[in-house]
Amino acid sequence: MNVRTPESLLAAIDLGGTKIAGGLVDSEGVLLHRVQVPTPARGTEKEMTAAVTAVLDLLAGHPGWAAVRAVGIGSAGPVDIEAGTVSPVNIPSWRAFPLRAEVAAHPAVAGLPVVLGGDAVAMTAAEHWRGAARPYRDVLCLVVSTGVGAGLVIGGQLHTGRTGNAGHLGHITVDFEGRPCPCGSRGCLEGLASGTAIARTAAESGWRSPDGDTSANAVAASARSGDPLALAAFDAAARALAAGIAATATLVDLDAAVIGGGVAQAGDLLFAPLRRHFAGYAALPFAARTVLLPAELGTDAGLIGAAALARTA
């Protein structure tokens, strides 16, 4: 991507378990330039920090860097935006790691505002700025992938909470006697509706892939061919999501819920049972009017969202 010559740009970092991406985003939310390095997720703290530095070096070497006025970071979490730290569950070497300060210390960043947020909150900011949530003032946005992350827009403003974890729908309990969750609770939405959970539900029911693939994508392929066990696994995930979204709609009076992430790419395999179950759980009229929508920004959401976090810095 080639940078035009805008008056100002936002730099963005999207940090996940498999890749660290960087980008330059203009004031309209258009991603103009993108770089990426692998995440050394099982590496040392020093190796992880070096990977972030490498991304910043690549961005700073681009001619558009001179127009950057702020830097936004969307990171796998948990995060603590008050302390500026991250403790991604899939990056063991980073526990309460001062990522905001580390980025701010880069020579090219010196003097620029640096804003940190969780990856799902960044996706929420992106979809509200440029995507499916744009027309709405009160929105829940979910990332349904290996896990389930979420964020809230209330009254037209991103609602992060003190630590940046407001709206963390993946770890509300939707099944009192459900599976133990790594977070320490039981019956969490993530343990029922994530891609990992769909694969597990299907396997526990006796589903087997013809080629030995046990992933959620393989379950989706079987479901499309009409396999009843695969269809039931998606139905169970959709039911859990519907219960969580309906509870949130009842609590904060939502206009819409936007669902993205790898599992959402299954399309009607997820959305058809999701809408059916939502109609049952959202019994009150004000909650029932919530619109369920697929996310629009795809793989660009992380970088556009990280930039969105820094817009008002």
Side-chain angles (χ1 to χ4, degrees):
M1 292 180 237
N2 295 316
V3 171
R4 303 191 292 266
T5 54
E7 293 182 4
S8 68
L9 293 175
L10 297 162
I13 297 174
D14 178 20
L15 194 152
T18 59
K19 64 175 175 58
I20 303 171
L24 299 176
V25 178
D26 72 10
S27 60
E28 299 301 315
V30 178
L31 179 61
L32 302 176
H33 177 63
R34 180 189 182 105
V35 299
Q36 184 174 309
V37 303
T39 302
R42 297 296 167 182
T44 64
E45 178 180 305
K46 184 176 180 180
E47 289 169 330
M48 276 296 305
T49 305
V52 174
T53 299
V55 169
L56 288 168
D57 289 344
L58 289 168
L59 289 178
H62 191 276
W65 184 265
V68 169
R69 62 176 179 83
V71 181
I73 310 165
S75 174
V79 303
D80 186 334
I81 61 172
E82 193 172 48
T85 60
V86 300
S87 304
V89 294
N90 52 358
I91 302 175
S93 67
W94 274 7
R95 290 296 173 266
F97 180 77
L99 180 58
R100 185 171 61 204
E102 191 68 36
V103 170
H106 189 282
V109 179
L112 295 176
V114 179
V115 180
L116 172 67
D119 52 3
V121 172
M123 175 268 192
T124 301
E127 289 291 335
H128 191 239
W129 185 16
R130 294 281 302 171
R134 194 172 185 175
Y136 304 104
R137 288 179 55 80
D138 299 289
V139 190
L140 171 71
C141 293
L142 298 99
V143 181
V144 186
S145 187
T146 305
V148 177
L152 286 166
V153 173
I154 297 178
Q157 300 295 319
L158 192 66
H159 179 72
T160 62
R162 178 176 56 82
T163 66
N165 295 292
H168 203 345
L169 197 67
H171 291 285
I172 67 164
T173 296
V174 293
D175 182 357
F176 294 148
E177 302 299 325
R179 296 166 178 162
C181 181
C183 78
S185 186
R186 175 181 288 275
C188 288
L189 176 61
E190 181 170 290
L192 294 166
S194 67
T196 307
I198 289 170
R200 179 178 175 182
T201 298
E204 288 178 350
S205 72
W207 170 83
R208 295 293 181 270
S209 170
D211 59 6
D213 185 351
T214 60
S215 69
N217 285 337
V219 180
S222 289
R224 289 190 187 94
S225 68
D227 185 295
L229 297 178
L231 286 166
F234 268 90
D235 186 80
R239 183 178 182 185
L241 280 172
I245 295 170
T248 308
T250 304
L251 185 66
V252 298
D253 198 0
L254 295 175
D255 296 318
V258 174
I259 302 97
V263 173
Q265 298 304 307
D268 281 346
L269 283 180
L270 179 71
F271 279 92
L274 175 61
R275 292 189 171 102
R276 183 177 70 252
H277 288 302
F278 182 78
Y281 286 116
L284 298 174
F286 74 91
R289 69 179 178 82
T290 303
V291 181
L292 305 182
L293 300 166
E296 293 181 355
L297 297 178
T299 56
D300 289 342
L303 287 172
I304 294 172
L309 295 177
R311 285 174 72 197
T312 58

